Amino acid sequence: MRKPSIFIATCGYVGYVPVAPGTAGSIAGLGLYGAAGLLGGTQVELGVLAVVLAVGVWSSAASERHFGETDPGAVVIDEVAGMLITLLALQPTWGGVLAGFLAFRFFDVVKPFPARWAERLPGGWGVMADDVIAGLYAHLVLRLLLWAGTPVTVS
């Protein structure tokens, strides 16, 4: 089961791009978010997120064994999950998508508490958890922008 796990963890090998694989994985997350939005509303987004989290933990753990390192750079399924969380239930405008993308990338790089701590969780849990937290922070930023009257969503 190594090859399917690597394919999933790298999002169809998107994680192998030579420059900024995390950014490429975040863009893949935007694509999946858009596809989920075409299929339905928040329930579809939640279902897709649940699947991504479950297969992400599994495939990330297998990828760590395959690559022989903790949180390999080619593994970007965690960025996909983070972007899905960032935009969950928001129906953002293009400006909102851009704001969410930039906020998520910022929090993914900076790793504010407890994201850096969550990285130390074992196996695939640690790979996924810090990006889940970064996604929650970015989602909060979008909600605050919405509350402040900035037109980041259509709803």
Side-chain angles (χ1 to χ4, degrees):
M1 283 300 280
R2 260 195 196 168
K3 291 198 188 265
S5 65
I6 302 304
F7 183 79
I8 291 168
T10 61
C11 294
Y13 306 118
V14 166
Y16 287 114
V17 299
V19 178
T23 299
S26 298
I27 293 169
L30 290 175
L32 186 56
Y33 173 80
L38 291 174
L39 293 173
T42 303
Q43 291 79 12
V44 173
E45 292 175 35
L46 284 169
V48 169
L49 176 60
V51 169
V52 167
L53 289 171
V55 299
V57 169
W58 165 75
S59 65
S60 296
S63 295
E64 283 188 329
R65 291 188 297 275
H66 172 79
F67 289 108
E69 60 183 284
T70 302
D71 199 358
V75 173
V76 295
I77 190 76
D78 50 337
E79 275 81 11
V80 171
M83 281 306 312
L84 291 173
I85 291 167
T86 297
L87 301 172
L88 183 65
L90 287 177
Q91 298 177 327
T93 62
W94 285 108
V97 169
L98 179 60
F101 177 81
L102 294 173
F104 172 69
R105 293 306 306 143
F106 172 79
F107 290 119
D108 188 27
V109 171
V110 173
K111 298 193 187 316
F113 182 82
R116 187 151 321 273
W117 172 84
E119 267 186 322
R120 292 180 270 176
L121 292 170
W125 296 103
V127 174
M128 298 296 290
D130 68 308
D131 289 85
V132 166
I133 293 167
L136 290 170
Y137 276 122
H139 184 87
L140 180 61
V141 165
L142 290 180
R143 291 282 177 184
L144 289 171
L145 288 172
L146 180 61
W147 177 78
T150 305
V152 296
T153 66
V154 294
S155 47

